[in-house]
Amino acid sequence: MNEIRVFAPATVANVACGFDIFGFAVDQPGDEVLLRQTDQPGVRIIDIIGDDGRLPRDAARNTAGIAIQSFLKKIGRPDVGFDMVLTKHMPLGSGLGSSAASAVAGVFAANELLGRPLTTLELLPFAMEGERIACGSAHADNVGPSLLGGFVVVRSYAPLDVIKIETPASLFATIVHPDVEVNTKDARYILKNEVSLKNAITQMGNVAGLIAGLMKPDYDLIGRSMVDVIIEPVRSILIPEFDEVKRSAIANGALGCSISGSGPSMFALSRDADTAQNVGQAMQQAFLSVGITSEVYVSGINNVGPRVLA
Amino acid sequence: MNEIRVFAPATVANVACGFDIFGFAVDQPGDEVLLRQTDQPGVRIIDIIGDDGRLPRDAARNTAGIAIQSFLKKIGRPDVGFDMVLTKHMPLGSGLGSSAASAVAGVFAANELLGRPLTTLELLPFAMEGERIACGSAHADNVGPSLLGGFVVVRSYAPLDVIKIETPASLFATIVHPDVEVNTKDARYILKNEVSLKNAITQMGNVAGLIAGLMKPDYDLIGRSMVDVIIEPVRSILIPEFDEVKRSAIANGALGCSISGSGPSMFALSRDADTAQNVGQAMQQAFLSVGITSEVYVSGINNVGPRVLA
């Protein structure tokens, strides 16, 4: 085998109350990497499909390219060469972990082609290196769930401690990506460096409640805990019609609704697929009422992570 | 039945990372209330044993008295009268939820004598009223676990949302109460009103990790998550030899160690009873090395809450 195609899932980071520590993977959308081993050392990007020419073709500046190169360096294989075709199945800068999915697909594909010198979990730091290029810092709340699947807690970065949480089988996610742009770096820049102890305590209560709700499972508790008093009040200002979209999600049966990552995508969780579909239509309609079109994705929680395509 | 004796357990609030939101109950120590129904309306304190005369004998200023009176008011029974004897089996101002245990024992006893007009959970607000007298605010992180038993999350106060978390059967707590005094109000006063977003995120990660660790269960994760970057660095200054006591607990096998409530008691969690015993001896020895005597309590997590004594 000298060629492989790998799909890695999009992810919803933060999940309302868990800024920088929570994320979960969905079945769709996601990114796809075709990787072919060659005799010429290093990583070359042959093509990127679906980015409207916006991503750098230089592997040293591409999230998947960086991830693979840092992986090859770690395992001591400077002799290995790869040609890569990256297919973006999701919008850039959407808050769905697009750069994370590409990095995960790339490094997972490379590890498979080389006969799995590392475990999946061991690939995490290399995918994070890809994130450093995309976001300016090596976050794990998108690459963690994209790589491991499921709902993931990033408990700590030093040392890196990533914990997978069981989720109820019928839990469904709705993601709505409005056709507006938010710069991730701006979305981080507008946050305050200090929070009140009172708000920190409220947020901690919701963090505990969400984990307990997922593990028990207790859908009502999940819903009550999907409250963000720290980040959402600031970042939601960047998303047109945020309050109305959220209100329509809840009114149509969603357990909770908030910003996906740093936006502008919004997500909701529901207790079954039908509700998640209805919630998606209602959210899309709310955006449309002010003239904003959007894509809707409805999916269970992806418990697999990246997968090899036939 | 016109007389009842009820024991309510001591509690460890905060549990390292969960300031104001986590607490758990232990099998010992605890407080005891003897309640006798009489023809004379209102609550009278006949005696308080074990407080060296420090607690007010006026029921309207006593945590158990307040709890019972607010309960009687709520259920519309101004005609009912109780004589009460309160036996303190634990030191006052120790950080073990002494006032909470008395309030819980009192209101639980009254509810039993009157044929359970309310459920146990419904008694929580009245026990919290007792706390308001003792601490200046109606906290639930001691009364919650003392009343419900087990490990409890206070997710929210408005509305009140208290969640019981499963804990592994072999988890053991060590509590060491050094013979020094910390004023609870001082311990709260020295806290800062603001925390850095960075520390809030770290704490949230540990909150999530501790809940996941308890529910999976995963002892190592419990230990890794028993880290408090917000409160412990400030309050530990009030406890002589804190660092050395904590170090000795960990060195002897404790999963983690921190301040119980607002101190000066310290607690540790261990994966079995023998370890918890050894940890207790080591912590006591560390205090003694600087001339401070202490009481040690070793106990499983109390999953029952208050209980009627024969």
Side-chain angles (χ1 to χ4, degrees), chain B residues 180-195:
Chain B
V180 296
E181 282 215 14
V182 167
N183 184 303
T184 304
K185 285 174 185 166
D186 285 353
R188 188 160 285 269
Y189 184 73
I190 61 171
L191 299 177
K192 293 174 187 135
N193 288 323
E194 302 267 308
V195 301

Side-chain angles (χ1 to χ4, degrees), chain A residues 94 176-183 232 234-248 257-259 262-266 282-294:
Chain A
S94 56
V176 179
H177 173 241
D179 297 324
V180 296
E181 283 215 12
V182 168
N183 185 302
E232 185 182 293
V234 180
R235 282 190 172 168
S236 60
I237 295 164
L238 299 175
I239 303 174
E241 212 61 7
F242 175 86
D243 290 341
E244 180 56 22
V245 175
K246 177 171 177 167
R247 195 202 59 74
S248 70
C257 173
S258 187
I259 305 167
S262 51
S265 291
M266 293 174 63
M283 292 170 73
Q284 189 170 45
Q285 192 54 45
F287 273 124
L288 206 55
S289 71
V290 291
I292 297 170
T293 57
S294 60

Side-chain angles (χ1 to χ4, degrees), chain A residues 17 19 21 155 161 163-165 192-197 201 204-207 215-216 221 224-225, chain B residues 17 19 21 155 161 163-164 192-197 201 204-207 212 215-216 221 224-225:
Chain A
C17 52
F19 179 63
I21 64 165
R155 193 196 62 82
D161 189 4
I163 304 141
K164 194 164 169 177
I165 303 293
K192 296 176 185 131
N193 288 324
E194 301 266 309
V195 301
S196 70
L197 180 59
I201 292 167
M204 283 158 49
N206 287 320
V207 161
M215 292 182 74
K216 277 177 180 282
L221 177 55
R224 295 199 302 276
S225 304
Chain B
C17 53
F19 180 63
I21 64 164
R155 191 195 63 81
D161 190 3
I163 304 142
K164 194 165 170 176
K192 293 174 187 135
N193 288 323
E194 302 267 308
V195 301
S196 70
L197 180 59
I201 292 166
M204 284 158 49
N206 287 320
V207 161
M215 292 182 73
K216 277 178 182 280
L221 177 54
R224 296 199 302 278
S225 304

Side-chain angles (χ1 to χ4, degrees), chain B residues 178-180 240-241 284-294:
Chain B
D179 298 324
V180 296
E241 211 61 9
Q284 189 170 46
Q285 192 55 46
F287 273 125
L288 206 56
S289 71
V290 290
I292 297 171
T293 56
S294 60

